[in-house]
Amino acid sequence: MNDPVEETFKDLLSASARSRGYPFLERAALWEQRLAMHLQDLDAILKAPDAGDMLVLPPRGELEVLSPQTRPDDTRPIDDLPFASVAQIAAHVRARSLSPLEVAEAFLARIDQHQRLSAFITVRPERVRADARALDLRVTRGEDVGPLAGVPVAVKDLMQVRGYPTTCGTRAIEPREGARDAEAVAKLRAAGALVIGMANLHELAYGVTSANVHFGAVGNPVAPGHLPGGSSGGSGAAVAAGLATIGVGTDTGGSIRVPAACCGVVGFKPTHDAVSREGVWPLAWSLDHIGPLTRSVDDAALAFEAMAGLPAGCVGGKRVERPRMVRPVAFFFDHVEDPVRAHVMRVIGDLAAAGARVDERDVEGMQYAPATQFLTLASEACQANWELLMNRPEGLSPDVRLRLEVGQFIGALDYVKAQRLRRWLRDNMLAALGEADVFVLPTLPVSIPPRGTSILQIGERTLPVPTALTRLTSPFNFSGLPALSIPCGTDANGLPVGLQLVGRPGADATVLAVGRWCEKALAGREPGGA
């Protein structure tokens, strides 16, 4: 016998969908099941305190920049081109000891050898070679082609790229060949970068597994059999496997930092709108960020500067000697799996021993963060993709379609409350950070799950994988704070662990400087200085 309360709930969902002309009412039971996973968070919103004004778009914050620094020229011999640094490749290309065409051929060959990773959706070798020849001609003429001269870049396939189709990882969109570049891509090209292909992703960037049913599930090159993270999974896998030196990603709830942590690379989500979103398919306008995935913080700084249209060295040139850190205890450490918690606590201890000053503080109200993110993301993602739901739902994978559909049931009352909480929580984060440089915390609350995982246990909660894996990353999307994930070794399960560093709006240079200091400290080198 059916539960009358459940039947009433399904009837309400059906009536709501019918009122806006959504015809697929037979899916009401699925909507009910999915929403049930978030009822605890929705109930929390109802009980949350009344906050102040709404925060519809996070304030960008004035970017912290230095006087332009001397461009780093790393002319050390390159032993393994696919794993050379940005500065190495660019210096050798500018010095004409390495041609852009040689770079292109080496990376195209490696991509061909690693097709099983499904890291790319589209690679056009002849276009790559043509771009490399054009770049080579400019170098031969004596032109300074920029700080990323000849550096191969994988672009997430939801950004416009001249000469490539944009699929957004779905069959619900008719791919059209780009006539122009998205602004961030154009700036990378202006800095001398070489687009190597369109990276695979979780469909429409709405997920963290990158198990794309249309273009192949992305593999994890450093933890085979485990999730590569997402939604920028192809970009992370390409960088980790040496198929690209820079991966361009988007991050709405953790989609740069999660694959960085899973694949053992660096992922940087800048301050909101520090990198232009023009020419990028939106998931949630007020949460979307654009940033790089690389193999070092130095590489991330160079890539970020180019993507933001800044001179080389004006952000990455900053150095710190004894960084001031805050470990935010409640929420950020209270539901973290033992192997991850133990490893991150050891790492923080190592950083303190190397000279970092670490305080412990709580951020008031963080129990409302999951609901704030869910209500904002579900509403905006549904609206951004409403035409696809109405006209091409058969082109969507089942999970992405369902996640998009439930957004139509978020009421204006709840959405507005979430935006008021965003401002309150952001203010509380900045108050807890105080005079420190960064928050320090895990990137993921769990060891990297095996491929095929759909549900995870976080504390006493059973949650969908996207909600669970973004628990510690999404608060910095709705607040717009710059956040960096760096690899910090492996946990007791032998799986990569990411350490997340978060700063105040506009302090991207400080976050990157602390990240560089941590890299050196954890590598056993002298952490201070250049």
Side-chain angles (χ1 to χ4, degrees):
M1 186 173 179
N2 292 333
D3 185 331
V5 175
E6 290 184 3
E7 289 301 317
T8 300
F9 188 32
K10 282 189 283 189
D11 289 343
L12 286 172
L13 295 178
S14 296
S16 177
R18 188 183 297 110
S19 71
R20 60 178 48 85
Y22 194 65
F24 306 103
L25 305 183
E26 70 281 0
R27 297 175 57 79
L30 295 173
W31 304 333
E32 179 193 29
Q33 292 167 13
R34 189 65 183 224
L35 283 167
M37 296 180 178
H38 298 279
L39 288 180
Q40 185 172 329
D41 292 332
L42 295 174
D43 185 58
I45 282 284
L46 295 175
K47 298 175 181 176
D50 287 330
D53 293 334
M54 292 175 63
L55 180 61
V56 180
L57 278 175
R60 170 176 170 171
E62 191 66 29
L63 273 182
E64 175 189 18
V65 296
L66 312 176
S67 298
Q69 305 291 301
T70 302
R71 177 186 293 159
D73 272 336
D74 187 350
T75 54
R76 292 173 299 170
I78 295 176
D79 298 322
D80 191 1
L81 181 56
F83 292 93
S85 72
V86 168
Q88 275 185 301
I89 293 174
H92 280 273
V93 167
R94 285 194 298 269
R96 298 179 61 184
S97 56
L98 178 67
S99 76
L101 190 57
E102 288 176 298
V103 175
E105 294 295 356
F107 279 85
L108 287 171
R110 190 167 177 85
I111 290 170
D112 190 56
Q113 294 163 5
H114 290 78
Q115 290 189 30
R116 59 179 177 79
L117 287 176
S118 297
F120 289 89
I121 290 177
T122 304
V123 177
R124 290 185 166 173
E126 288 311 310
R127 175 163 288 278
V128 176
R129 293 184 180 108
D131 288 345
R133 291 188 190 101
L135 197 59
D136 198 17
L137 182 59
R138 293 176 57 200
V139 174
T140 302
R141 288 173 177 166
E143 292 184 39
D144 182 351
V145 296
L148 305 186
V151 174
V153 174
V155 179
K156 188 174 182 178
D157 191 356
L158 47 57
M159 308 179 73
Q160 294 178 21
V161 178
R162 186 179 68 248
Y164 287 85
T166 305
T167 72
C168 298
T170 185
R171 298 293 186 188
I173 295 172
E174 193 66 39
R176 294 181 181 177
E177 188 162 307
R180 54 186 292 277
D181 290 327
E183 187 172 334
V185 177
K187 288 177 176 177
L188 284 166
R189 287 200 204 262
L194 181 68
V195 173
I196 204 77
M198 304 295 285
N200 201 351
L201 67 154
H202 201 108
E203 184 179 19
L204 294 174
Y206 206 6
V208 296
T209 68
S210 298
N212 193 303
V213 301
H214 308 293
F215 299 100
V218 178
N220 188 326
V222 301
H226 290 78
L227 294 179
S231 62
S232 309
S235 298
V239 169
L243 314 184
T245 308
I246 297 170
V248 180
T250 63
D251 192 312
T252 306
S255 287
I256 288 172
R257 291 158 290 156
V258 171
C262 289
C263 293
V265 298
V266 171
F268 181 49
K269 181 198 77 65
T271 296
H272 188 258
D273 267 357
V275 176
S276 171
R277 292 174 287 126
E278 186 277 330
V280 181
W281 186 275
L283 177 59
W285 295 276
S286 72
L287 303 172
D288 292 345
H289 297 64
I290 317 299
L293 294 99
T294 59
R295 288 186 293 273
S296 72
V297 177
D298 278 334
D299 284 0
L302 284 165
F304 166 63
E305 288 166 344
M307 294 167 72
L310 300 170
C314 74
V315 170
K318 182 167 184 174
R319 297 291 185 268
V320 296
E321 292 187 4
R322 290 192 65 200
R324 298 164 298 173
M325 302 179 176
V326 169
R327 184 174 80 88
V329 183
F331 181 84
F332 292 105
F333 280 84
D334 57 7
H335 291 306
V336 176
E337 275 189 347
D338 288 342
V340 175
R341 183 203 304 272
H343 183 78
V344 169
M345 291 302 294
R346 280 195 298 271
V347 167
I348 293 174
D350 290 342
L351 296 176
R357 291 165 285 180
V358 183
D359 294 324
E360 294 185 355
R361 298 175 196 152
D362 288 338
V363 180
E364 183 183 0
M366 286 308 299
Q367 67 268 29
Y368 305 118
T372 299
Q373 175 75 7
F374 169 71
L375 290 168
T376 305
L377 176 54
S379 302
E380 294 186 12
C382 179
Q383 205 286 315
N385 293 282
W386 185 249
E387 292 301 316
L388 299 184
L389 282 174
M390 288 292 289
N391 301 317
R392 297 288 299 275
E394 71 284 350
L396 298 167
S397 61
D399 183 66
V400 169
R401 179 182 178 181
L402 183 57
R403 294 188 72 196
L404 290 173
E405 286 176 323
V406 298
Q408 67 185 294
F409 306 114
I410 305 300
L413 183 70
D414 297 320
Y415 181 81
V416 171
K417 182 69 172 286
Q419 305 322 298
R420 296 181 71 192
L421 283 170
R422 283 177 76 174
R423 181 175 294 279
W424 182 61
L425 289 171
R426 181 179 182 273
D427 291 345
N428 293 347
M429 291 177 198
L430 295 178
L433 186 58
E435 296 300 314
D437 297 309
V438 296
F439 287 119
V440 59
L441 61 144
T443 305
L444 303 179
V446 296
S447 286
I448 306 169
R451 290 178 69 167
T453 303
S454 60
I455 298 293
L456 285 173
Q457 193 76 22
I458 300 291
E460 298 177 355
R461 297 282 305 278
T462 299
L463 296 171
V465 162
T467 305
L469 289 192
T470 59
R471 174 181 172 84
L472 306 183
T473 53
S474 61
F476 309 115
N477 287 87
F478 67 69
S479 61
L481 307 185
L484 174 74
S485 179
I486 62 171
C488 64
T490 56
D491 61 24
N493 298 317
L495 297 170
V497 177
L499 185 73
Q500 191 175 189
L501 305 170
V502 183
R504 54 182 53 81
D508 300 59
T510 295
V511 173
L512 290 164
V514 175
R516 182 185 298 105
W517 185 94
C518 291
E519 275 185 337
K520 292 181 179 179
L522 297 176
R525 296 191 296 272
E526 179 64 33

